Amino acid sequence: MKQENNSDKITRKEAISKMGKYAAITAVGTFVILNPLKSQAQSLPPDPGGNPFD
């Protein structure tokens, strides 16, 4: 059997820590990009010309 070189592998604890940091950064970035208030304000259609019954 061939022996594997374990020098470039990380432990499960290190991997979970790195994924946690990545997930936190991704969540913050997603919230900034898709901010609900700005998204809602931009999704309103333009006023078609006012009230015709004035």
Side-chain angles (χ1 to χ4, degrees), residues 33-51:
I33 292 171
L34 302 175
N35 191 338
L37 296 176
K38 287 184 181 180
S39 299
Q40 189 176 20
Q42 292 174 352
S43 67
L44 294 174
D47 190 16
N51 188 355

Side-chain angles (χ1 to χ4, degrees), residues 4-47:
E4 292 184 22
N5 185 5
N6 292 333
S7 64
D8 60 344
K9 294 185 180 181
I10 62 173
T11 65
R12 183 182 298 252
K13 186 175 181 178
E14 290 171 331
I16 291 171
S17 175
K18 287 183 180 185
M19 280 304 298
K21 291 176 186 175
Y22 176 76
I25 292 170
T26 303
V28 170
T30 302
F31 183 75
V32 168
I33 292 171
L34 302 175
N35 191 338
L37 296 176
K38 287 184 181 180
S39 299
Q40 189 176 20
Q42 292 174 352
S43 67
L44 294 174
D47 190 16

